[in-house]
Amino acid sequence: MVMCSVKKLLTTMLPTPEEKHKIQEATICNPYLPLGSAEQFFMMLSSISELPARLKLWIFKLDYENMEKNIGVFSRLCRAYICSGNYLSASDDWVRSTEAVLNI
């Protein structure tokens, strides 16, 4: 959920330099006219230094945490698979049944 909203913010809601320039011009031309909420939001976003890079890093961090969780599940499955294989390899019954099938 958070990652969707961050991606949406990164792709659609960041002000372009042209939009920022127009808002600044309007503020200079009409200093006593307050900005609307959207313009205030744009100016607040544009005041954050390196915002696109920070948002991309945040998305990467969220993706990385999800990948770590998936890797943890995968490693537990591999560990269980290896343990069951080791158990079967160590079992005398399994060896005898293989010998009987192969007629050794």
Side-chain angles (χ1 to χ4, degrees), residues 7-71:
K7 285 182 180 179
K8 182 178 179 183
L9 179 67
L10 183 59
T11 57
T12 61
M13 300 180 84
L14 291 181
T16 63
E18 180 182 316
E19 290 170 331
K20 181 182 174 183
H21 183 69
K22 285 183 180 181
I23 294 170
Q24 287 173 338
E25 280 181 354
T27 304
I28 292 170
C29 291
N30 301 312
Y32 300 108
L33 186 64
L35 292 175
S37 58
E39 289 81 9
Q40 288 176 357
F41 180 70
F42 269 14
M43 292 306 290
M44 182 192 64
L45 286 179
S46 65
S47 69
I48 300 172
S49 64
E50 301 298 326
L51 182 62
R54 290 178 185 211
L55 292 174
K56 286 178 185 176
L57 181 63
W58 190 16
I59 290 171
F60 174 78
K61 182 181 178 289
L62 293 173
D63 282 343
Y64 187 78
E65 288 173 355
N66 290 333
M67 286 189 312
E68 276 186 329
K69 289 177 187 174
N70 292 338
I71 288 171

Side-chain angles (χ1 to χ4, degrees), residues 63-101:
D63 282 343
Y64 187 78
E65 288 173 355
N66 290 333
M67 286 189 312
E68 276 186 329
K69 289 177 187 174
N70 292 338
I71 288 171
V73 170
F74 180 71
S75 67
R76 284 194 300 270
L77 288 173
C78 287
R79 197 173 308 127
Y81 181 74
I82 289 171
C83 286
S84 63
N86 288 342
Y87 176 76
L88 290 174
S89 294
S91 172
D92 288 338
D93 295 333
W94 183 80
V95 173
R96 286 190 196 116
S97 65
T98 305
E99 289 174 357
V101 171

